Amino acid sequence: MENIQVIQPTKLLAPYIKQYWFLRIDDVKQGFQRSIPAGCVALVFHKGNKIISSFHKGTQPQSYISGQISTYSDIEFSFLDMVIILFQPIGCRIFFPYPMEEFTNQNIGIDLLDNTCLVELEEKINEASDNYQIVRLIEEYLLNRLCENISCNANRMMATIHNINEGEGKYIRFISNGLFRI
């Protein structure tokens, strides 16, 4: 049986989080699926069995940050139960202090990130009873991180992305000491 649910983030997190995806596929002897790039950096928690990926040439981590992926991957599984947090273009950088280009075409296990709060979040997600409880746990974690990490640079990046997305026709020029619109 296949079950997909998409939940939107709260307004406070919407500038950073695109959506929360819940994907569950069970009752399969051996599942094969082609996974195509979502175009976003994602934080993935997988509560199901191990996934084998052709692109990553082996077993994927149970929970991981997935960087920008440039091609499809064929995956093999017997039970899929994923929680996927899709970030807006700069969203992941706000919450995690890593250069995102280092994540390109990779799935980096959260156990390698030296972030005990993220590992604790994984444990809570695995114990949660429904998707809305999981969203509450995720948003509590993200809001705490947001309060710790937001900076004026993030505000500049958000303003730039907003102007690009809105197509206001204004030229944006970066100068060493800040952002100026012409």
Side-chain angles (χ1 to χ4, degrees):
M1 183 173 159
E2 198 171 303
N3 184 8
I4 298 171
Q5 183 178 15
V6 176
I7 298 176
Q8 299 300 320
T10 62
K11 286 186 179 187
L12 283 174
L13 290 171
Y16 314 103
I17 306 298
K18 189 172 189 170
Q19 296 172 324
Y20 304 109
W21 289 0
F22 295 86
L23 175 60
R24 184 180 175 103
I25 302 174
D26 53 11
D27 296 332
V28 294
K29 291 184 181 172
Q30 195 65 32
F32 295 95
Q33 190 75 33
R34 178 153 286 175
S35 173
I36 59 172
C40 304
V41 173
L43 176 58
V44 178
F45 297 96
H46 185 240
K47 302 186 320 181
N49 296 337
K50 295 284 184 187
I51 298 173
I52 298 171
S53 166
S54 66
F55 181 73
H56 297 98
K57 297 177 178 51
T59 304
Q60 293 187 163
Q62 204 65 15
S63 295
Y64 53 90
I65 292 181
S66 177
Q68 286 280 356
I69 304 296
S70 62
T71 188
Y72 71 88
S73 175
D74 291 321
I75 60 173
E76 185 178 331
F77 57 90
S78 60
F79 171 57
L80 203 63
D81 190 1
M82 301 179 98
V83 177
I84 304 168
I85 303 165
L86 289 175
F87 290 94
Q88 298 285 8
I90 66 153
C92 194
R93 182 66 177 101
I94 300 299
F95 300 103
F96 301 105
Y98 314 110
M100 287 297 113
E101 61 272 8
E102 292 179 12
F103 288 75
T104 302
N105 288 323
Q106 295 189 58
N107 292 338
I108 307 295
I110 64 168
D111 56 323
L112 302 174
L113 299 177
D114 194 31
N115 185 330
T116 56
C117 293
L118 192 56
V119 173
E120 289 172 9
L121 176 62
E122 176 188 32
E123 292 169 4
K124 290 176 184 177
I125 286 172
N126 288 336
E127 296 170 1
S129 58
D130 67 53
N131 294 348
Y132 291 101
Q133 182 183 9
I134 291 171
V135 168
R136 282 190 299 276
L137 292 167
I138 291 169
E139 291 199 336
E140 178 182 301
Y141 170 82
L142 293 173
L143 287 168
N144 285 334
R145 297 286 298 188
L146 184 62
C147 290
E148 295 169 7
N149 295 334
I150 194 98
S151 69
C152 66
N153 286 335
N155 292 332
R156 280 189 231 149
M157 287 188 287
M158 291 302 295
T160 302
I161 288 172
H162 173 76
N163 287 336
I164 291 168
N165 287 339
E166 294 298 315
E168 293 180 10
K170 296 178 182 175
Y171 295 97
I172 299 172
R173 190 170 85 200
F174 289 95
I175 309 270
S176 62
N177 63 351
L179 172 69
F180 292 89
R181 281 187 229 157
I182 299 174

